[in-house]
Amino acid sequence: MVKKSVCLFCSLGCGLACRVEGREAVAIDYDRNNPVNLGALCPRGYYNYELLNHPGRLTSPSVGGEDGSWGEAASKVRRELQGIDPGSIGIVVSPLMSLEEGAIAAALAEKLKTRYLCVGGGLADNDAALGASWRLAEDHPATLEEIETSDRLLIIGDILTRTPVLSRRINAVKAKKGSRIIVVDPHRSHAAWFASRHITLKSGMEVLFAAALVKLLSGADEAELAALTDKIGVPMSALKETAADLFGPEPGTVIVVPSPNRRRNDLLIYFVRILAGLTNKKWISFHEGGNIVGLNALFDGRHPGRARYFELIKKLKQGAIQGLFLLGEDLSDLESVAPKLLIKSRFFKSKLSREAICFPQASHLELAGSYIFSGNRRENALPLVPAAGGRDLAAWLAEIFELDVEGARHQAADTAVKMAGELFDLETVMNEAAKIEPMPDCQVENVTNFAGNELASNFFWYRANNKR
Ligand code: SF4
């Protein structure tokens, strides 16, 4: 039997089809009618299903590294939480989780009376989600279809490493007579192969490049622009020609890839949104975690005063977080700052499992769930196979804390991406951007980077050892 689902390893959200025999997913079968990807998958999408059959997966809870029952683990959680100050509890939800799971985590935050509720997946994507939520007089987000109908593309970052399957749409633009594709990246990236013009600049200076375009189009004087281009490491001609390419009647899209290779991805998204408005173009961003935009929108709507990811990490490092729920998420630098109580749900045991109360994590391919991908596209997926270990996050969290699963489902269904954050004036944001300095040269991302998490090594272990 062939069943359909989606890939969550980036925010393009390609459709995939999988051959299922009994309770087991046995092979990928391409979903050629899917309008997002026409069946195409990158290596991350292709190997999605292999996680399901991995013999090393956690299928029962463990306490302090020892296997235990669901009841024992649940009682331990309840007991240990009694000694923790509610204001010092953090909840981090993987961006590979559904809106329904996110809504359960939000209900948990409410129950525990904590404001530390955030999406994992790293600073770059979370900052970008923050920049996308700031209020502007007008906003012009693009759909996937509008990328393909563009005559002008400005691409900031390596879109084809982050989101390889988007190459079909970029190629469609490239094939058009008179189209222009401008790629801004310090490296000769994969995306640069498609470029009509590749603008190289000092590492991490993309934010200031976008700010300089905004300044140029708003009538800044030559001396100010000369100082900026000097700091960015681009000739003034590159800035002016990019502005001229964008500023015209042709349909166009600015595509942004948030990256850990630059600081202040929030400001980059903010400037790109203003730039799109000034040039009558649209904008879209592509992220590493599939549902990062949807989950941030859900949490912003439900808990407007919540702490963001960077605040939680800061508090953790200060030792101010005593209890931490890591739901489908690992924090690599946690070992040095481990809180008093750590409750995790994961696919595999990790070093941190010895210190934690661990629950097995179901894959999104085993659950029904909804997701919001780039272009604010919503997808609902059905399970391919039953969850290993038999229980999903919503079931065990709801049981331990008596959470309202039905209410959470309604909240997931009502989630929409909208401007919910602060309103800043341009000068304030320009002043913030002016503080950015070039970064040391960074490694180019690799297409087989599975969101920097445990899945990477385990996928390939399984592939090498499974003879089927
Ligand atoms: S492009 Fe993104 S969504 Fe598509 S298969 Fe690759 S990782 Fe998955």
Side-chain angles (χ1 to χ4, degrees):
M1 178 192 291
V2 173
K3 292 187 174 180
K4 293 186 179 179
S5 189
V6 288
C7 172
L8 287 182
F9 282 114
C10 82
S11 66
L12 181 58
C14 293
L16 55 86
C18 193
R19 261 178 278 150
V20 175
E21 289 175 7
R23 295 166 67 89
E24 202 179 332
V26 295
I28 282 289
D29 203 359
Y30 302 97
D31 182 8
R32 291 189 170 80
N33 295 324
N34 188 294
V36 172
N37 56 322
L38 300 177
L41 294 170
C42 79
R44 286 170 291 186
Y46 186 84
Y47 294 120
N48 251 282
Y49 81 102
E50 294 198 346
L51 169 75
L52 303 176
N53 306 324
H54 195 295
R57 275 186 73 178
L58 282 176
T59 52
S60 61
S62 68
V63 178
E66 300 295 322
D67 287 352
S69 69
W70 286 92
E72 282 163 355
S75 312
K76 175 103 175 147
V77 170
R78 284 193 208 99
R79 221 172 30 248
E80 300 275 326
L81 268 176
Q82 281 169 7
I84 305 274
D85 168 16
S88 72
I89 295 174
I91 302 173
V92 185
V93 178
S94 162
L96 306 188
M97 285 193 161
S98 65
L99 295 173
E100 288 74 10
E101 290 172 298
I104 283 288
L108 175 65
E110 224 155 72
K111 186 104 185 181
L112 297 177
K113 297 187 171 47
T114 178
R115 61 183 286 270
Y116 292 101
L117 169 68
C118 61
V119 191
L123 201 54
D125 274 1
N126 273 292
D127 275 358
L130 179 62
S133 76
W134 287 336
R135 277 179 291 140
L136 291 176
E138 47 180 336
D139 199 19
H140 304 273
T143 61
L144 288 179
E145 292 70 30
E146 281 168 321
I147 295 176
E148 202 165 320
T149 54
S150 294
D151 291 336
R152 299 282 182 271
L153 289 183
L154 172 64
I155 303 174
I156 303 177
D158 188 2
I159 189 65
L160 295 182
T161 299
R162 172 65 49 82
T163 304
V165 173
L166 202 68
S167 58
R168 180 174 68 83
R169 287 193 157 87
I170 311 271
N171 253 331
V173 176
K174 191 173 171 68
K176 285 191 214 169
K177 196 161 178 274
S179 68
R180 302 278 296 156
I181 301 177
I182 305 150
V183 171
V184 178
D185 197 307
H187 301 100
R188 179 101 187 120
S189 63
H190 293 108
W193 298 342
F194 290 76
S196 322
R197 167 191 282 271
H198 173 205
I199 296 173
T200 56
L201 67 186
K202 290 181 193 165
S203 207
M205 289 286 98
E206 296 92 331
V207 183
L208 277 184
F209 185 79
L213 281 172
V214 169
K215 273 191 181 270
L216 174 62
L217 291 162
S218 313
D221 66 46
E222 261 325 273
E224 195 183 354
L225 289 172
L228 255 181
T229 48
D230 197 39
K231 184 171 180 184
I232 298 164
V234 294
M236 177 77 85
S237 58
L239 189 73
K240 288 187 171 172
E241 283 160 22
T242 304
D245 271 337
L246 280 182
F247 196 80
E250 300 86 359
T253 308
V254 186
I255 301 177
V256 200
V257 184
S259 166
N261 289 353
R262 72 177 84 96
R263 293 185 192 98
R264 301 306 304 262
N265 286 279
D266 49 348
L267 300 185
L268 177 60
I269 297 281
Y270 180 84
F271 287 127
V272 159
R273 292 168 68 204
I274 293 177
L275 187 59
L278 288 171
T279 54
N280 204 19
K281 302 290 181 280
K282 301 279 183 92
W283 74 275
I284 192 167
S285 57
F286 288 91
H287 308 261
E288 201 167 354
N291 201 21
I292 195 150
V293 170
L295 286 169
N296 271 299
L298 170 76
F299 294 169
D300 286 342
R302 183 93 186 254
H303 295 275
R306 75 186 173 101
R308 315 282 309 195
Y309 181 83
F310 67 90
E311 290 178 70
L312 181 109
I313 297 296
K314 195 169 148 198
K315 287 280 173 194
L316 255 177
K317 290 185 173 163
Q318 290 168 349
I321 297 292
Q322 294 174 20
L324 183 62
F325 287 79
L326 288 179
L327 303 176
E329 182 70 12
D330 227 351
L331 291 180
S332 52
D333 56 354
L334 196 60
E335 276 178 72
S336 55
V337 289
K340 206 161 123 189
L341 174 62
L342 183 58
I343 298 157
K344 280 167 55 88
S345 66
R346 290 301 284 160
F347 295 104
F348 304 101
K349 278 188 184 170
S350 69
K351 277 192 212 161
L352 282 175
S353 306
R354 284 195 298 275
E355 322 295 331
I357 304 170
C358 272
F359 291 86
Q361 171 74 38
S363 157
H364 76 283
L365 298 176
E366 297 167 325
L367 303 172
S370 49
Y371 309 91
I372 298 178
F373 295 112
S374 291
N376 299 341
R377 196 186 89 247
R378 195 184 177 102
E379 295 274 355
N380 300 314
L382 291 172
L384 298 178
V385 288
R391 308 182 88 183
D392 61 44
L393 179 81
W396 67 261
L397 271 183
E399 189 179 302
I400 298 175
F401 295 99
E402 297 173 352
L403 305 175
D404 176 7
V405 177
E406 205 43 47
R409 260 191 220 119
H410 287 302
Q411 264 145 13
D414 289 344
T415 301
V417 177
K418 50 188 173 214
M419 290 184 272
E422 290 174 68
L423 175 68
F424 295 102
D425 62 278
L426 187 55
E427 202 184 327
T428 306
V429 186
M430 282 290 180
N431 289 340
E432 278 297 298
K435 297 176 194 162
I436 296 174
E437 293 295 330
M439 290 177 80
D441 204 29
C442 303
Q443 283 289 313
V444 180
E445 273 188 79
N446 187 309
V447 73
T448 52
N449 169 17
F450 288 79
N453 65 26
E454 62 179 358
L455 302 185
S457 53
N458 285 292
F459 272 136
F460 292 110
W461 180 94
Y462 180 79
R463 187 141 189 88
N465 289 281
N466 192 324
K467 303 292 178 231
R468 179 168 24 219

